[in-house]
């Protein structure tokens, strides 16, 4: 294990997932495409309905006489088409078979609604069939017209996305040809993989933002083993496309995207429309929950404090230096569960460490733990004071656990990624086995999985699992 230099300080940089709250780059063109397609579909669906009513067998029905029913029909049709993802870019909007399925499915919904609303008063069978067939025909014609006009405009240099290529010098020419095959991009700049090195990446991202880059194409070799780069592109509001090599492993939080005439799969790191918003929702949730909990459990704090005082001499709270965001030191708060000289005794107990690789220190029968301390640990009540750390912005409710200096000093470089996000009171590690995990590498893998797949929903899932784990006392000692 290599020893790491731990930086002191109280000024914390932002979490890897936060960034400034900003709108996704290129969203105006994407919204224009969606609005145009929706308007075209509304026009052609209205024409299909008028055509079917005019040429179909006449039937006295409110469906053919009231405008509100036409609005209902169009809303259902557009809704089903949208749910099927047929307003997305590229091959999605040109998925004519998917469009036929979406129209047919919406017709089934309309039949169901008509039956439940007024089964004796819908439209005639001929009107229904004409509307179904003409809707399919006109919508497909509309998409074809849209594609032809879009291609003509792009040939003249309009509605193209400015992109940037980052790849090895010897492969850049081939990648440019591949990108240009898609006919919707302007390669605005090129750089080699050194621009993503730690010393250069912030300057690179700032330059891309200033140039108005919407998407960045990066070769797999340039981004491999650099998960933080993916997050930095995401928080910059720039879509990241990872260009393939001969053998490629699927990256977390990615979705497949097809580029070029050869239909070569390209991996994409998706970003939300409002970049950084999810993290600030998480932070707001942390503050609200902690404030409410601190008010509710104040009597519990007082009872625990009294029990600790009666059980053994020493302070009620235990404050220990831990390593948090960006390897900065901070004081973590816990209820004292050990004798007052526990840290001095640890040196004599290192030989009994039950973590195989020795990075962490864990003992099931630790002689330093007091009687009240065992109870508090069993139900994780000793962690309750960390709510103050959350309020101060040093921790989150969910995240990788902050570790003591002794543990972090034994980190390898690959382990330091877990220090790029706010540490948490609970995390994926804790709900996946807690103290039963006896290998630090396994714990780090769980932390990395959390970072790679993070979402507000994942945080809520972990919080709910934590309650279950605490009540069942799984792996606690």
């Amino acid at each position: 294990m290599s020893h790491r230099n731990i930086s002191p300080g109280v000024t914390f940089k932002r979490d890897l997932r936060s960034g400034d709250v900003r709108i996704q780059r290129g969203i105006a063109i994407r919204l224009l495409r969606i609005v145009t397609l929706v308007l075209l579909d509304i026009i052609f669906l209205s024409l299909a309905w008028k055509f079917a009513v005019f040429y179909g067998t006449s039937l006295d029905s409110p469906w053919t006489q009231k405008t509100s029913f036409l609005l209902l029909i169009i809303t259902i049709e557009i809704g089903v088409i949208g749910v099927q993802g047929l307003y997305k870019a590229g091959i999605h909007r040109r998925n004519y078979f998917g469009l036929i399925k979406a129209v047919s499915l919406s017709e089934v919904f309309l039949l169901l609604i008509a039956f439940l609303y007024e089964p004796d008063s819908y439209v005639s069978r001929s009107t229904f069939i004409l509307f179904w067939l003409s809707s399919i025909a006109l919508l497909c014609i509309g998409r074809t017209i849209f594609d032809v006009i879009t291609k003509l405009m792009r040939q003249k240099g309009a509605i193209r996305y400015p992109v940037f290529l980052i790849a090895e010098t010897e492969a850049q020419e081939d990648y440019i040809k591949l990108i240009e095959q898609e006919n919707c991009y302007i390669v605005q700049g090129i750089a080699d993989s050194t621009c993503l090195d730690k010393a250069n990446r912030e300057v690179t991202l700032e330059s891309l933002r200033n140039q108005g880059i919407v998407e960045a194409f990066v070769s797999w070799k340039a981004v491999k083993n650099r998960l933080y780069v993916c997050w930095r592109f995401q928080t910059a509001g720039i879509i990241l496309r990872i260009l393939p090599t001969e053998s490629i492993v699927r990256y977390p939080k990615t979705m497949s995207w097809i580029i070029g005439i050869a239909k070569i799969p390209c991996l994409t790191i998706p970003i939300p429309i409002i970049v950084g918003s999810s993290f600030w929702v998480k932070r707001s949730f942390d503050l609200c929950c902690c404030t409410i909990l601190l008010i509710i459990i104040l009597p519990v704090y007082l009872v625990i404090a009294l029990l600790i005082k009666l059980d053994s001499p020493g302070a009620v709270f235990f404050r220990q230096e831990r390593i948090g965001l960006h390897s900065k030191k901070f004081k973590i708060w816990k209820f004292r569960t050990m004798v007052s000289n526990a840290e001095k005794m640890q040196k004599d107990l290192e030989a009994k460490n039950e973590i195989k690789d020795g990075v962490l220190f864990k003992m099931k029968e630790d002689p330093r733990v007091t009687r009240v301390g065992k109870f508090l640990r069993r139900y994780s009540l000793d962690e309750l004071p960390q709510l103050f750390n959350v309020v101060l912005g040093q921790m989150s409710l969910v995240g990788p656990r902050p570790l003591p200096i002794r543990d972090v000093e034994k980190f390898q470089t690959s382990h330091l990624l877990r220090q790029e996000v706010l540490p948490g009171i609970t995390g994926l590690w804790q709900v996946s086995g807690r103290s039963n995990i006896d290998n630090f590498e396994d714990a780090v893998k769980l932390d990395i999985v959390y970072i790679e797949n993070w979402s507000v929903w994942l945080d809520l899932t972990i919080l709910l699992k934590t309650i279950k784990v605490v009540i069942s006392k799984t792996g606690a000692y």
Side-chain angles (χ1 to χ4, degrees), residues 356-423:
K356 293 177 181 177
D357 49 21
V359 178
L360 303 181
F361 182 85
K362 292 284 183 181
M363 281 183 65
K364 285 187 177 180
E365 298 297 331
D366 195 324
R368 301 172 297 166
V369 180
T370 63
R371 288 175 299 173
V372 171
K374 287 182 179 179
F375 173 80
L376 296 178
R377 288 186 169 203
R378 189 175 296 122
Y379 292 98
S380 299
L381 295 173
D382 57 318
E383 313 284 358
L384 287 178
Q386 288 165 40
L387 294 175
F388 292 108
N389 291 115
V390 176
V391 172
L392 292 172
Q394 298 165 329
M395 293 178 66
S396 172
L397 288 175
V398 181
R401 282 295 294 168
L403 299 176
I405 297 173
R406 172 248 179 229
D407 299 343
V408 179
E409 283 180 341
K410 297 186 178 183
F411 272 16
Q412 293 179 350
T413 302
S414 59
H415 298 154
L416 292 175
L417 179 62
R418 71 188 302 281
Q419 306 303 129
E420 296 295 314
V421 300
L422 274 174

Side-chain angles (χ1 to χ4, degrees), residues 69-251:
F69 283 95
L70 176 58
L71 292 175
L72 174 64
I73 291 167
I74 291 174
T75 300
I76 290 174
E77 297 266 5
I78 297 295
V80 173
I81 293 171
V83 168
Q84 296 295 313
L86 300 173
Y87 290 118
K88 294 180 181 178
I91 59 171
H92 300 286
R93 74 161 187 266
R94 294 191 291 269
N95 183 0
Y96 294 103
F97 181 67
L99 192 61
I100 293 171
K101 288 199 299 182
V103 171
S104 301
L105 182 60
S106 61
E107 295 299 331
V108 173
F109 283 156
L110 286 171
L111 279 175
L112 181 62
I113 291 170
F115 175 77
L116 295 174
Y117 174 72
E118 197 170 348
D120 297 326
S121 181
Y122 186 41
V123 294
S124 63
R125 284 171 292 182
S126 60
T127 301
F128 174 81
I129 293 172
L130 281 173
F131 177 61
W132 173 41
L133 296 176
S134 59
S135 293
I136 291 173
L138 289 175
L139 288 180
C140 289
I141 290 171
R143 294 299 169 98
T144 303
I145 292 171
F146 181 88
D147 281 335
V148 170
I149 294 174
T150 300
K151 287 178 181 178
L152 290 173
M153 293 179 69
R154 281 176 172 165
Q155 287 174 2
K156 296 181 178 180
I159 55 174
R160 287 174 174 256
Y161 296 109
V163 301
F164 197 89
L165 172 64
I166 300 172
E168 305 74 37
T169 305
E170 64 275 10
Q172 288 175 356
E173 188 175 341
D174 291 335
Y175 282 136
I176 289 173
K177 290 179 181 178
L178 184 64
I179 293 169
E180 288 178 344
Q181 287 179 8
E182 193 65 10
N183 197 33
C184 64
Y185 296 111
I186 298 175
V187 180
Q188 198 159 302
I190 306 170
D192 61 32
S193 58
T194 59
C195 72
L196 294 180
D197 290 344
K198 188 174 182 180
N200 304 325
R201 88 175 76 103
E202 293 304 322
V203 175
T204 300
L205 286 166
E206 186 63 30
S207 174
L208 296 185
R209 285 195 292 264
N210 292 337
Q211 292 180 56
I213 298 299
V214 172
E215 301 181 18
F217 287 84
V218 183
S219 69
W220 178 255
K221 290 181 181 178
V223 78
K224 188 169 62 174
N225 297 326
R226 301 180 187 182
L227 182 62
Y228 50 81
V229 173
C230 299
W231 276 107
R232 292 299 290 118
F233 273 101
Q234 186 176 59
T235 55
I238 300 171
I239 292 176
L240 180 61
R241 311 280 193 193
I242 301 178
L243 292 163
T245 57
E246 292 180 1
S247 61
I248 190 168
V249 180
R250 195 168 175 80
Y251 226 69

